């Protein structure tokens, strides 16, 4: 019988009180933040905010609880933006939306620093880690050290593999790879992207889900992704359900699957019944009941949403996974 698990790709919105408090604190400590230092007051505010988002998930009954990545002001670029070998420069649009991040420019060797592992270790009850996938992280960054795209992708993969290997014990690792959709790799680069993902996945004992969104992966990169030793691929059934189904029908998928059936960018809250109907639509195209694990998730990160909408979507996801989605 398929195990149905409610989860998310992480990157939660800050609780409303934390937005105001942290904005005020950071406004008074700009010089410290530029140098990478956070005051005790900022650290404390993030700890209290983390406790809130953990409570949102546990109260809702989410099966795979994430740390929330509230410190990730630069979103998926965060692990590089806080690295000593990286200079952050101008503001860059984050994919094709109204969010922005600081451009990480890699100027020296990417040695592991354990930043993400430390965040998860500081959180109680987390059983799912979240990292950017190596291809997306390399696409979001600029290389001024390694010299060519292939060497840079390998270096980013090695860096993320070391970060993943340092993680506390978790059940699942979500690698977020939207660039496989939005900036799909060309011939040759698609195979290297798959090998880079494989290198990160090999560093952990957890179930590894490569979650893609903002559309469906083109055919050749998808076919190469199937060669990676991962446990599941995540599909965005909000943005492009037909393309997602085509890839699965044409090239197959892994023994487990993640279905992005809740809109992570729209404030309209789906009911558990609507979520179940979307899963059932996939079941009509692909035999979902044959999968070992079925992750029911939002298609994108949740930081786009007001906190009350994020909480409501968590409740709907958990209820749908527990009561509505057929096994």
């Amino acid at each position: 019988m398929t195990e149905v698990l409610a989860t998310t790709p992480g990157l939660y919105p800050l609780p409303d009180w934390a937005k105001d408090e942290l904005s005020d604190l950071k406004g008074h400590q700009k010089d410290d933040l530029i140098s990478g230092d956070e005051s005790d007051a900022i650290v404390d505010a993030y700890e209290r905010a983390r406790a809130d988002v953990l409570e949102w998930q546990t109260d809702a009954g989410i099966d795979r609880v994430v740390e929330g990545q509230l410190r990730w002001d630069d979103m998926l670029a965060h692990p590089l933006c806080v690295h000593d070998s990286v200079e952050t420069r101008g503001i860059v649009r984050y994919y094709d939306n109204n969010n922005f991040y600081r451009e990480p420019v890699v100027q020296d060797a990417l040695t592991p620093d354990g930043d993400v592992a430390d965040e998860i270790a500081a959180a109680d009850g987390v059983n799912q880690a979240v990292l950017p996938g190596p291809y997306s992280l390399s696409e979001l960054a600029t290389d001024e050290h390694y010299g060519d795209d292939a060497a840079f992708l390998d270096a980013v993969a090695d860096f993320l593999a070391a970060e993943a290997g340092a993680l506390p014990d978790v059940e699942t690792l979500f690698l977020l790879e939207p660039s496989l959709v939005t900036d799909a790799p060309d011939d040759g680069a698609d195979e290297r992207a798959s090998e880079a993902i494989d290198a990160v996945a090999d560093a952990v004992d957890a179930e590894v889900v490569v979650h893609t969104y903002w559309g469906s992966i083109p055919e050749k990169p998808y076919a190469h992704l199937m060669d990676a030793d991962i446990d599941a691929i995540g599909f965005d059934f909000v943005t492009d359900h037909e393309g997602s189904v085509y890839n699965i029908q044409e090239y197959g998928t892994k023994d487990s699957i993640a279905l992005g059936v809740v809109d992570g960018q729209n404030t309209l809250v789906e009911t558990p019944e609507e979520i179940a109907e979307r899963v059932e639509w996939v079941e009509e195209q692909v035999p979902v009941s044959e999968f070992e694990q079925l992750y029911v998730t939002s298609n994108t990160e949740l930081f786009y949403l007001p906190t009350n909408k994020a909480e409501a979507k968590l409740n709907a996801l958990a209820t749908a996974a527990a009561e509505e989605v057929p096994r």
Side-chain angles (χ1 to χ4, degrees):
M1 186 171 80
T2 300
E3 183 181 20
V4 179
L5 299 167
T7 189
T8 65
L11 281 87
Y12 281 43
L14 277 167
D16 293 333
W17 66 264
K19 293 175 186 175
D20 296 334
E21 185 171 328
L22 284 163
S23 177
D24 182 61
L25 288 170
K26 290 181 177 182
H28 288 88
Q29 298 170 38
K30 288 182 179 177
D31 291 340
D32 288 340
L33 292 172
I34 289 171
S35 67
D37 296 325
E38 292 179 340
S39 70
D40 290 343
I42 289 177
V43 171
D44 175 70
Y46 274 121
E47 287 178 351
R48 288 183 283 120
R50 179 191 291 125
D52 279 3
V53 300
L54 292 172
E55 186 176 359
W56 295 351
Q57 295 171 82
T58 54
D59 285 354
I62 293 293
D63 298 295
R64 292 290 182 263
V65 174
V66 298
E67 182 267 338
Q69 296 76 48
L70 300 179
R71 288 179 55 241
W72 291 27
D73 292 340
D74 300 289
M75 291 157 285
L76 293 187
H78 168 84
L80 290 184
C81 289
V82 298
H83 197 282
D84 289 342
S85 298
V86 175
E87 176 185 328
T88 52
R89 294 183 184 167
I91 299 299
V92 183
R93 185 179 293 275
Y94 183 64
Y95 295 100
D96 188 20
N97 57 45
N98 291 324
N99 291 272
F100 299 86
Y101 69 103
R102 298 172 299 165
E103 178 190 16
V105 182
V106 177
Q107 299 182 316
D108 205 344
L110 289 174
T111 54
D113 60 12
D115 178 77
V116 176
D118 289 344
E119 290 177 336
I120 293 177
D124 292 330
V126 171
N127 57 8
Q128 176 173 299
V130 174
L131 283 172
Y135 179 72
S136 293
L137 187 56
S138 68
E139 288 293 298
L140 292 170
T142 297
D143 170 41
E144 290 186 355
H145 176 71
Y146 290 96
D148 65 66
D149 290 345
F152 185 48
L153 177 59
D154 287 345
V156 171
D158 289 344
F159 165 68
L160 287 174
E163 295 298 296
L167 292 171
D169 288 339
V170 290
E171 298 286 339
T172 310
L173 170 63
F174 258 49
L175 291 177
L176 306 187
E177 282 284 17
S179 288
L180 287 176
V181 174
T182 63
D183 302 290
D186 297 328
D187 288 351
D190 48 10
E191 185 174 1
R192 289 195 297 273
S194 175
E195 291 170 350
I197 290 167
D198 202 48
V200 180
D202 283 348
V204 296
D205 292 329
E207 300 288 306
V208 177
V209 180
V210 174
H211 189 53
T212 61
Y213 44 103
W214 290 320
S216 56
I217 313 175
E219 291 183 61
K220 284 197 67 178
Y222 182 83
H224 281 294
L225 181 59
M226 281 294 294
D227 292 333
D229 187 17
I230 56 178
D231 299 283
I233 297 173
F235 299 89
D236 182 350
F237 279 95
V238 173
T239 306
D240 186 6
H241 54 281
E242 297 289 351
S244 297
V245 164
Y246 173 81
N247 279 339
I248 298 170
Q249 291 178 336
E250 189 72 16
Y251 298 101
T253 195
K254 298 295 184 175
D255 291 337
S256 297
I257 192 170
L259 303 182
V261 290
V262 167
D263 195 333
Q265 295 181 279
N266 193 318
T267 56
L268 181 65
V269 177
E270 299 87 348
T271 67
E273 292 77 16
E274 288 171 332
I275 295 170
E277 287 172 4
R278 293 176 183 180
V279 176
E280 288 168 6
W281 182 87
V282 179
E283 166 72 24
E284 292 171 0
Q285 323 301 317
V286 181
V288 169
S289 58
E290 295 181 6
F291 292 111
E292 293 178 3
Q293 292 175 313
L294 168 62
Y295 298 90
V296 183
T297 181
S298 58
N299 63 329
T300 69
E301 313 102 324
L302 295 180
F303 65 75
Y304 308 99
L305 299 173
T307 55
N308 64 328
K309 298 297 184 179
E311 287 186 76
K313 289 190 181 240
L314 289 173
N315 289 325
L317 271 168
T319 301
E323 300 175 5
E324 303 291 338
V325 175
R327 271 63 178 166

